[in-house]
């Protein structure tokens, strides 16, 4: 895992890019935890997209976001941030 600060760019999956877009969150039904999957690279985001729960008929794509903006969004919407590798394995959990 790389060192990041509020000015670091990270990757998230966005639903409906370019119109009414929103960051994709997930619910771990076993633990009841709502989280945002985040990635250190676009490639890892692409590799994991098929592992995420998605709504049929909507488009999804990985997009870069400043870590500071992601942390603020997660806090406002009561999400934990889970950094995932290219296989979907959690590499870091961040409560904001």
């Amino acid at each position: 895992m790389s060192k990041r600060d509020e000015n670091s760019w990270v990757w998230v999956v966005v639903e409906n890019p370019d119109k009414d877009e929103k960051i994709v969150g997930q619910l771990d039904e076993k633990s009841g935890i709502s989280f945002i999957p985040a990635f250190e690279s676009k490639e890892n985001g692409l590799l994991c997209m098929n592992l995420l729960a998605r709504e049929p008929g909507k488009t999804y794509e990985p997009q870069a976001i400043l870590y500071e903006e992601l942390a603020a969004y997660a806090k406002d919407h009561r999400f934990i941030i889970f950094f995932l590798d290219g296989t979907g394995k959690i590499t870091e959990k961040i409560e904001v």
Side-chain angles (χ1 to χ4, degrees):
M1 200 228 40
S2 66
K3 287 282 184 197
R4 79 182 75 80
D5 61 27
E6 65 273 1
N7 295 314
S8 298
W9 289 93
V10 297
W11 293 84
V12 294
V13 176
V14 173
E15 177 184 290
N16 291 331
D18 302 323
K19 63 173 196 297
D20 299 325
E21 65 186 28
K22 69 177 184 178
I23 296 172
V24 172
Q26 301 284 285
L27 174 64
D28 179 346
E29 294 186 12
K30 209 182 286 183
S31 65
I33 294 173
S34 295
F35 68 95
I36 295 173
F39 308 93
E40 298 288 348
S41 69
K42 182 178 185 178
E43 293 74 23
N44 284 352
L46 286 167
L47 288 169
C48 288
M49 278 188 39
N50 288 334
L51 303 175
L52 303 178
R54 299 178 292 171
E55 288 186 49
K58 296 196 176 185
T59 56
Y60 297 86
E61 74 177 27
Q63 288 187 3
I65 185 172
L66 281 171
Y67 177 72
E68 178 179 46
E69 292 177 16
L70 174 59
Y73 182 92
K75 185 175 183 178
D76 290 347
H77 294 87
R78 297 180 178 201
F79 282 103
I80 294 174
I81 300 169
F82 284 6
F83 274 90
L84 306 178
D85 67 11
T87 67
K89 179 179 173 243
I90 298 168
T91 60
E92 184 178 5
K93 296 179 182 181
I94 302 172
E95 294 189 46
V96 287

